[in-house]
Amino acid sequence: MPLMEKEHYTIEDIYALPEGERAELIDGQMYMMSPPGRRHQWLSTYLLTEISLYIRSKKGTCEVYAAPFGVFLKNEKGEDDYLEPDIVVVCDLDKLDEKGCHGAPDWVIEIVSPSSKKRDYLKKTAIYMEQGVREYWIVDPMREVTVVYKCEEEGFPVIYKFGESVKAGIYEELEITIK
């Protein structure tokens, strides 16, 4: 749910948050983020490890990051939106600096929490697809499904049940079974 103290927030408001508070900025609205639960953290660690080991085994140049890691995307007004996906894979290392990724990452994974469900499924899907994210996974532990959007393949997302192997689109040989 967005904060309602101001009508319009900016990236400066994100930087002014007290230590330990996290929020996302979408179209001038700030959305405070709840601390993740144990299942969320287990899924994040599992996925990050699988992806990292794959990239390392292939001597890949892409880099993988876990939240909190900032993704800065320009919205329709030319202002910065600021997102903190759970996992980000970036292959164009020129997009990276000490603050995060400036421009669309290649692969984004969001793990749904009760407080972020609507934002992950609706707002962020639209943003990531419009901005050119090549692949977007929504891992939903409550429904035990993974929803996969591939920007390069227009059409509907593919839904996988937990326990099924999910093939990563940006890597030919990487398959992950989410438990």
Side-chain angles (χ1 to χ4, degrees), residues 87-176:
I87 298 174
V88 175
V89 177
V90 181
C91 298
D92 180 354
L93 304 185
D94 290 336
K95 293 181 179 180
L96 299 173
D97 69 12
E98 288 305 309
K99 292 183 179 181
C101 179
H102 299 268
D106 293 272
W107 185 7
V108 171
I109 299 174
E110 293 280 7
I111 301 167
V112 174
S113 298
S115 63
S116 71
K117 188 174 195 168
K118 189 173 183 181
R119 205 165 52 250
D120 291 341
Y121 275 102
L122 300 175
K123 284 184 184 282
K124 290 183 186 178
T125 299
I127 291 168
Y128 293 142
M129 294 299 99
E130 287 169 8
Q131 293 289 328
V133 170
R134 292 172 53 199
E135 187 161 354
Y136 175 43
W137 288 18
I138 302 172
V139 178
D140 190 334
M142 293 157 285
R143 293 176 50 214
E144 294 193 345
V145 297
T146 301
V147 181
V148 177
Y149 292 87
K150 294 181 182 171
C151 191
E152 295 162 349
E153 299 173 15
E154 291 186 28
F156 295 102
V158 179
I159 300 172
Y160 299 88
K161 293 179 183 177
F162 279 20
E164 294 179 331
S165 181
V166 183
K167 186 167 176 29
I170 71 166
Y171 295 114
E172 289 185 22
E173 299 170 5
L174 176 59
E175 292 188 32
I176 300 173

